[in-house]
Amino acid sequence: MVAALEEPVVKEKKVKTEVVCFHCGTACVADTIKIDDKAFCCDGCKLVYEILNQNGLCDYYTLQSHPGLTQIKPVRNDKYAYLDNEEIASALYSFTDGTHSVVTFYIPGVHCSSCMWLLEHLNKLNIGITESRLNFTAKEVTIHFSNSEITIRKVVELLVTIGYEPNISLNDIGDKKVKTFNKQRMYKLGISGFCFGNIMMMSFPEYFGTSLGIEKEYAELFRALNLVLALPVFFYSASEFFITAWKGLQQKLLNIDAPIALAIIITFTRSVYEILTHTGSGYLDSMSGIVFFMLVGRAVQEQSYKSISFHRDYKSYFPIAVSVLTSSGIGSKNIQDLQEKDIVLLNNEDIIPADAVIIKGTARIDYSFVTGESELIPVNEGKIIYAGGKHVGEQITIRITKPVAGSYLTSLWNHYAFSKNKVEENKNNSIIHLLSKYFTWILLSLTAITAVYWALNDPSKMMQSVTAMLIVACPCALLLSATFTNANLLRIFSNNGIFLRDASVIEQMAKVDDIVFDKTGTLTHGADGVSCAGHQLTNEERSWLYSAVRSSKHPHSQALAKFLGQLPLVEFTYWVEIPGKGIHALIGDSKIFVGSSSFTTGVERLTDKSGNVFVNINDNISVFNIEPVFRENVPLVMEGLRSHYRLSLLSGDNNRQKKILGKFFGNDELLLFNQKPIDKLHFIENLQSSGKKVMMIGDGLNDAGALQQSNVGITLADDVNSFTPACDAIMDAKKMGQFPALMKLARKSGLLISMSFGISLLYNVVGLSLAMRGLMKPVLAAILMPCSTLSIVFIAWGISSFIAYKMGLAIKSDSNS
Amino acid sequence: MSALYILVIASISIAGSFLMAFIWSIRTDQYDDRDGSAMRMLQDNTIPGNQSLNIKDDK
């Protein structure tokens, strides 16, 4: 909300110098697209405005200024034709009875209250839609519609026309997503909290003894009530501790839950015994307290980021259907049903679904997501193209050579790195589990010694001291200090732009000694940076230039076209592209040359180096410099990391920037170029076999193997909700500058946990020594337990926040993110 | 002192009703979309009609 409110202020400053689009706030290149006094950056934005205006939905623009998304990239008309295929459509419905259907779409573009308002008033745009509801956190809109009035294809196309294109991928078909919110745990938490509170209240008379003048019959009543209240805590809320402990024991493992389960069982049985035999009041207050606080700890630690997914694979990247050419004409086919020899039609910007041979047309393939190579690769008829590439250009016809699951890209997922369960592995190596193992053994042997001692000296005291010992020494303090420290660290990390999959990642980050970077998209922005020197083009000239370079296959032309944005096309009287030289075009009396300096101006110039494009329009010469742009924080981040880690680079791209990269990395021996996805994976594997703990930072599918193989795989994303391959953490590219500090915090995490554990150990030692000597009074134990628990929680939270604050990290969430 | 019996019953049933409210809120997914609910609350319930556009562009 705050971000949204601040927006207009920023915009107003800009407005003085340039006209911005009324719909999306993008600067308008040409000021020709207008309705009344409202300027638009492109026809797409204008169209959205017109539709909303006609339907009286212009409140959309009053809630936020420029709430829309730029519509500069038009969506092809028949892109969603496959939704007419009943089989595919029915896989998307969450409910349908033939006349009324419900469907949920993920819409990445949702970002402000205007979006919500519009998406919840879809029924004003089409009467077939009966209801629409947006889950803002998950960016999912659920639409109820009547099948007789509107088809699912029309619903999707309506969303597209108003600028909210849903993201429909192969992942949406089949397994419906499991809700991450753990309801069972919340019920357990609520019930144990309720019981804990009431048991505490009714235990107060016991704490103060008979000095309050409570009569005996009331004391009995309170104890009985306590017992009743403790039952759901023991049998329901605490059940997960018993289950995990039992599972561990079956595998001959003593996990952290084992001593806790033991302590809970002993506390409960001793309390039941005391209450039933009228010998005491038991420790039901401590028992329910432990269970409650531990459940709180786990709930806080496992809170998940709803709109972020850490488990995406190629399925989320692929479309769900493609157009196929059959004997009966053009139809659509579910991508999973594609077979060898199927003929598929691919349009501009379509993703190649499976390895195939081109049978008609010339393709230009953007493999950047698969290989990291940023330049378009031209492929002619008869040649093989690989799944995962994006086709750019006119429609082509291809014949599938391998089914989707067997193609080059997807075979990466069959590598054994993907069969490992990193989550389980991390858990079993965790410091808490190691500590708890020793702790349990030490505790058990101490208990045995105490039991033997009292059995020899005073058998009547044996049971009491042994049980008291187990109760007091319950390692819940250890578990609490770890869970609350981790929970707070997770929170601090996310406030500073890194979203971790779970707490075990922090520990892994602390162990890392080698960091490997990807280049394209990670160190550089996805798009090339273009700057212009010399003659500044007029709007008319810009649209000439755009028209001239648009259909050229050269990467520089592509970059130029992208830089100029969508401009009105002009008809040339003459157009020719001379390979290795440039483009020459004529329009009316004007001559246009684009390309090398000798070609455009007839003179060889010193400034003619790779990355420079000369443009000569009617003897006015401008020079465009095209360079991949490094993210601004990169030098800072590298400098911050260099002293602690060995840094290396794996790029799928060519080595033309080796020099500048060498400066960032401090050396250039570890800069590797032209790396295939599988090379990256092997590189990480080799490092690991030499004993290194490797962190991989990448962004695309081409890094997926390396991300999976590494000890910690971090995906860098400009928008944390956009597509990211499976990884352990997602880093917001805008906050990359905080990364070195966060790594430092991760290194301190072990110390933080040990510190709060040390303090909790102090309580335990005091409690234990008293219990061992049989001096521990029930009242004292009852008070000590909750006090130590609470203080551990506060200390764990406090120390970690303090350390993070000292490092200059944001410990409070800024609502901008 | 027999008032205590009533008080104990009263206090437990009040706390119990809060527990039921909590369980109900979880069951009905009220914690699912906290940002959305916060925004929805601030929006006017006026039904968008065909009113003419009357917005000042901040140009």
Side-chain angles (χ1 to χ4, degrees):
Chain A
M1 273 307 271
V2 172
L5 290 173
E6 281 169 357
E7 204 102 292
V9 185
V10 180
K11 287 281 140 61
E12 267 162 22
K13 275 182 205 157
K14 274 190 182 169
V15 161
K16 281 170 191 150
T17 51
E18 62 189 1
V19 180
V20 294
C21 177
F22 182 67
H23 177 72
C24 68
T26 314
C28 298
V29 179
D31 46 9
T32 49
I33 310 168
K34 270 191 168 179
I35 298 180
D36 306 331
D37 56 342
K38 296 171 184 67
F40 297 91
C41 67
C42 59
D43 286 320
C45 287
K46 193 178 113 185
L47 188 70
V48 178
Y49 169 77
E50 281 170 343
I51 293 170
L52 298 185
N53 197 13
Q54 273 163 23
N55 290 283
L57 286 171
C58 277
D59 274 356
Y60 180 59
Y61 297 101
T62 51
L63 291 165
Q64 306 279 340
S65 22
H66 318 299
L69 300 164
T70 175
Q71 298 301 305
I72 217 144
K73 256 192 185 168
V75 174
R76 189 161 42 80
N77 271 340
D78 53 350
K79 183 172 177 188
Y80 291 103
Y82 65 81
L83 289 173
D84 285 336
N85 182 328
E86 257 321 300
E87 204 184 315
I88 294 166
S90 62
L92 290 169
Y93 293 136
S94 48
F95 165 86
T96 182
D97 61 4
T99 54
H100 186 94
S101 301
V102 182
V103 67
T104 299
F105 294 116
Y106 171 60
I107 301 185
V110 168
H111 65 284
C112 68
S113 57
S114 278
C115 302
M116 187 169 87
W117 184 84
L118 184 59
L119 288 170
E120 295 197 341
H121 285 95
L122 288 178
N123 53 346
K124 294 289 157 205
L125 290 169
N126 190 304
I127 49 161
I129 293 172
T130 47
E131 195 192 329
S132 53
R133 182 95 176 166
L134 178 74
N135 181 333
F136 190 85
T137 319
K139 302 193 176 203
E140 282 175 346
V141 65
T142 304
I143 298 173
H144 299 245
F145 63 95
S146 135
N147 291 50
S148 54
E149 305 267 359
I150 189 168
T151 62
I152 185 167
R153 178 182 168 183
K154 287 269 157 52
V155 172
V156 173
E157 285 174 348
L158 176 69
L159 287 172
V160 173
T161 41
I162 57 169
Y164 291 96
E165 187 176 2
N167 190 345
I168 306 173
S169 70
L170 198 53
N171 231 8
D172 295 329
I173 288 193
D175 313 340
K176 283 284 164 208
K177 268 181 260 161
V178 195
K179 280 268 174 230
T180 45
F181 193 65
N182 192 339
K183 279 192 182 177
Q184 278 293 328
R185 168 156 301 150
M186 294 315 284
Y187 294 146
K188 285 178 183 169
L189 194 62
I191 287 168
S192 62
F194 164 77
C195 295
F196 167 60
N198 282 293
I199 291 175
M200 279 299 272
M201 194 175 74
M202 291 200 256
S203 300
F204 268 111
E206 298 277 356
Y207 295 159
F208 300 110
T210 48
S211 57
L212 285 179
I214 300 285
E215 286 156 40
K216 197 160 182 282
E217 48 168 315
Y218 291 114
E220 290 295 328
L221 169 75
F222 290 147
R223 287 175 184 182
L225 277 173
N226 276 353
L227 192 55
V228 173
L229 284 167
L231 292 177
V233 177
F234 184 75
F235 287 104
Y236 180 60
S237 300
S239 57
E240 63 178 81
F241 298 103
F242 303 141
I243 293 168
T244 358
W246 180 242
K247 275 187 189 153
L249 284 179
Q250 276 178 324
Q251 292 167 16
K252 301 204 167 104
L253 277 171
L254 263 185
N255 56 26
I256 183 85
D257 284 359
I260 285 167
L262 184 69
I264 294 175
I265 291 172
I266 292 201
T267 321
F268 184 71
T269 41
R270 180 168 162 170
S271 307
V272 172
Y273 170 81
E274 281 187 5
I275 291 171
L276 292 183
T277 56
H278 306 286
T279 47
S281 58
Y283 309 100
L284 294 173
D285 48 347
S286 348
M287 187 202 77
S288 49
I290 298 169
V291 173
F292 175 63
F293 283 113
M294 280 190 303
L295 286 175
V296 171
R298 291 198 174 175
V300 177
Q301 190 186 343
E302 282 171 27
Q303 60 169 336
S304 46
Y305 314 103
K306 230 164 271 166
S307 59
I308 304 177
S309 167
F310 293 101
H311 304 290
R312 292 191 183 113
D313 58 11
Y314 64 92
K315 280 186 180 166
S316 342
Y317 180 61
F318 278 16
I320 58 173
V322 286
S323 326
V324 287
L325 201 62
T326 56
S327 47
S328 54
I330 298 172
S332 42
K333 201 165 188 179
N334 193 323
I335 205 166
Q336 280 162 323
D337 299 334
L338 274 184
Q339 283 159 356
E340 270 177 64
K341 294 186 182 151
D342 274 348
I343 308 291
V344 175
L345 298 174
L346 284 188
N347 290 295
N348 188 20
E349 305 254 310
D350 270 359
I351 286 160
I352 303 162
D355 296 356
V357 171
I358 301 181
I359 53 178
K360 204 175 126 205
T362 309
R364 270 173 302 145
I365 314 289
D366 172 5
Y367 280 123
S368 62
F369 221 61
V370 187
T371 62
E373 166 72 50
S374 55
E375 290 177 2
L376 295 182
I377 297 164
V379 186
N380 293 326
E381 259 178 49
K383 291 277 164 33
I384 294 177
I385 52 176
Y386 296 100
K390 197 189 256 182
H391 165 62
V392 183
E394 303 297 302
Q395 191 185 62
I396 56 167
T397 313
I398 59 172
R399 191 177 59 228
I400 305 293
T401 53
K402 275 180 195 163
V404 176
S407 60
Y408 171 71
L409 174 72
T410 49
S411 65
L412 190 64
W413 266 266
N414 299 328
H415 191 276
Y416 67 85
F418 286 90
S419 58
K420 293 191 303 186
N421 189 340
K422 268 171 111 175
V423 182
E424 275 304 309
E425 238 172 69
N426 285 352
K427 255 190 193 150
N428 291 334
N429 294 330
S430 161
I431 175 176
I432 310 165
H433 278 258
L434 289 174
L435 271 175
S436 78
K437 205 162 89 186
Y438 295 119
F439 189 86
T440 313
W441 284 120
I442 293 169
L443 177 67
L444 286 177
S445 34
L446 278 176
T447 316
I449 294 166
T450 323
V452 170
Y453 173 81
W454 285 114
L456 294 176
N457 290 300
D458 186 357
S460 66
K461 279 190 175 171
M462 188 180 88
M463 270 318 281
Q464 203 209 345
S465 49
V466 165
T467 46
M469 207 166 141
L470 285 173
I471 295 166
V472 175
C474 164
C476 64
L478 168 59
L479 190 68
L480 280 174
S481 56
T483 42
F484 277 93
T485 308
N486 280 339
N488 197 27
L489 287 179
L490 279 179
R491 198 181 58 89
I492 292 166
F493 269 72
S494 72
N495 289 344
N496 290 283
I498 296 190
F499 303 89
L500 302 179
R501 191 192 54 214
D502 58 40
S504 68
V505 179
I506 300 176
E507 230 174 275
Q508 294 299 313
M509 278 175 85
K511 291 184 193 158
V512 163
D513 47 20
D514 201 308
I515 304 181
V516 179
F517 287 89
D518 167 55
K519 194 194 77 168
T520 318
T522 306
L523 297 183
T524 65
H525 286 285
D528 288 335
V530 179
S531 56
C532 176
H535 169 69
Q536 295 297 320
L537 302 180
T538 66
N539 281 335
E540 193 181 25
E541 287 168 343
R542 286 172 85 98
S543 91
W544 290 349
L545 181 60
Y546 174 74
S547 310
V549 295
R550 201 186 74 107
S551 28
S552 159
K553 299 171 178 75
H554 196 278
H556 283 166
S557 309
Q558 300 279 324
L560 261 184
K562 220 187 226 173
F563 167 71
L564 292 165
Q566 184 128 23
L567 294 170
L569 285 176
V570 291
E571 285 282 328
F572 291 115
T573 44
Y574 175 79
W575 186 88
V576 67
E577 180 173 14
I578 304 158
K581 288 186 171 165
I583 299 166
H584 176 43
L586 295 175
I587 180 166
D589 297 332
S590 305
K591 289 180 201 149
I592 300 158
F593 292 91
V594 187
S596 66
S597 67
S598 55
F599 174 72
T600 50
T601 60
V603 193
E604 195 76 46
R605 281 163 205 258
L606 277 178
T607 47
D608 189 3
K609 51 183 190 217
S610 109
N612 276 1
V613 175
F614 288 79
V615 176
N616 177 349
I617 300 179
N618 296 333
D619 291 327
N620 289 321
I621 296 158
S622 1
V623 187
F624 286 88
N625 183 274
I626 298 164
E627 275 290 326
V629 178
F630 287 93
R631 295 185 189 276
E632 54 178 340
N633 287 323
V634 165
L636 206 85
V637 169
M638 293 301 176
E639 206 178 296
L641 293 174
R642 233 159 34 194
S643 50
H644 271 96
Y645 303 96
R646 203 177 73 129
L647 306 176
S648 40
L649 176 94
L650 293 177
S651 174
D653 214 344
N654 58 41
N655 63 358
R656 98 187 122 111
Q657 289 165 306
K658 194 168 178 177
K659 233 183 211 157
I660 181 159
L661 283 165
K663 240 186 267 162
F664 294 154
F665 281 80
N667 65 53
D668 47 12
E669 301 128 52
L670 293 164
L671 309 180
L672 301 174
F673 296 93
N674 300 316
Q675 298 283 305
K676 292 196 182 67
I678 199 82
D679 296 337
K680 293 188 176 183
L681 199 160
H682 287 149
F683 181 83
I684 306 270
E685 239 176 336
N686 284 339
L687 280 177
Q688 284 172 329
S689 60
S690 65
K692 297 264 184 202
K693 297 277 181 205
V694 188
M695 173 186 274
M696 172 79 202
I697 303 177
D699 74 311
L701 271 186
N702 58 319
D703 304 316
L707 287 169
Q708 183 69 23
Q709 177 63 38
S710 62
N711 300 74
V712 183
I714 299 185
T715 308
L716 198 74
D718 287 304
D719 171 9
V720 289
N721 299 305
S722 66
F723 175 83
T724 44
C727 57
D728 300 305
I730 296 174
M731 176 159 40
D732 184 350
K734 288 188 285 295
K735 296 189 181 168
M736 196 182 183
Q738 300 284 33
F739 183 60
L742 286 172
M743 287 302 287
K744 201 169 156 196
L745 184 62
R747 291 201 298 275
K748 290 244 164 84
S749 69
L751 183 73
L752 288 174
I753 293 176
S754 310
M755 268 164 82
S756 37
F757 178 52
I759 294 164
S760 70
L761 215 59
L762 257 171
Y763 284 107
N764 280 341
V765 169
V766 173
L768 262 180
S769 56
L770 288 175
M772 272 168 87
R773 286 188 280 150
L775 287 174
M776 180 65 101
K777 296 226 172 65
V779 183
L780 195 58
I783 294 170
L784 200 62
M785 249 351 254
C787 282
S788 70
T789 309
L790 274 177
S791 57
I792 302 290
V793 169
F794 286 122
I795 289 167
W797 202 267
I799 295 180
S800 46
S801 292
F802 178 72
I803 302 264
Y805 176 74
K806 290 279 269 185
M807 286 179 181
L809 292 165
I811 54 167
K812 289 222 178 78
S813 80
D814 52 348
S815 25
N816 285 329
S817 56
Chain B
M1 283 295 265
S2 60
L4 258 182
Y5 287 110
I6 300 163
L7 288 176
V8 166
I9 293 168
S11 81
I12 289 192
S13 42
I14 290 170
S17 65
F18 284 125
L19 177 66
M20 294 322 284
F22 176 72
I23 290 175
W24 167 74
S25 70
I26 301 272
R27 274 178 73 94
T28 49
D29 296 328
Q30 294 183 28
Y31 292 98
D32 252 24
D33 182 17
R34 282 173 290 181
D35 302 340
S37 310
M39 287 182 193
R40 205 170 279 122
M41 196 179 79
L42 294 172
Q43 287 178 0
D44 294 332
N45 281 331
T46 51
I47 299 155
N50 283 323
Q51 81 266 41
S52 62
L53 184 64
N54 204 3
I55 310 157
K56 279 174 209 115
D57 190 357
D58 57 346
K59 207 164 31 161

